[in-house]
Amino acid sequence: QWQALISSIRLFLWVRTSPHPGNTPHTSRARIEAKESSILDAVEKIFARAGFDGAKVSDIARAASVAEGTVYL
């Protein structure tokens, strides 16, 4: 169940970061994609350990080494 959610999130992020006019410069995009990848890896880890209902954004942020607010972006 949570694997389908992660696939949907990855698709959303891919569409959001795909090149289009007005998108961030390449170096910024690379940093954004690296953070997104780190967050998604953390989501998989936390979901596997705690389940979807037991997952906390603070745990995901800590595992991804990002600020909690970054997870919501």
Side-chain angles (χ1 to χ4, degrees):
Q1 177 94 321
W2 57 267
Q3 291 169 331
L5 175 64
I6 291 172
S7 293
S8 296
I9 293 169
R10 285 188 190 276
L11 176 62
F12 167 76
L13 294 174
W14 177 80
V15 168
R16 196 180 87 190
T17 60
S18 62
H20 56 79
N23 203 356
T24 57
H26 178 71
T27 55
S28 295
R29 187 175 333 135
R31 283 196 313 264
I32 289 168
E33 289 174 356
K35 278 188 183 183
E36 289 171 345
S37 179
S38 177
I39 291 168
L40 289 171
D41 291 344
V43 166
E44 287 182 282
K45 176 182 166 187
I46 299 299
F47 280 12
R49 186 183 68 204
F52 179 78
D53 293 330
K56 296 179 184 174
V57 172
S58 59
D59 293 337
I60 293 168
R62 191 175 311 110
S65 299
V66 298
E68 197 170 320
T70 303
V71 177
Y72 291 105
L73 298 176

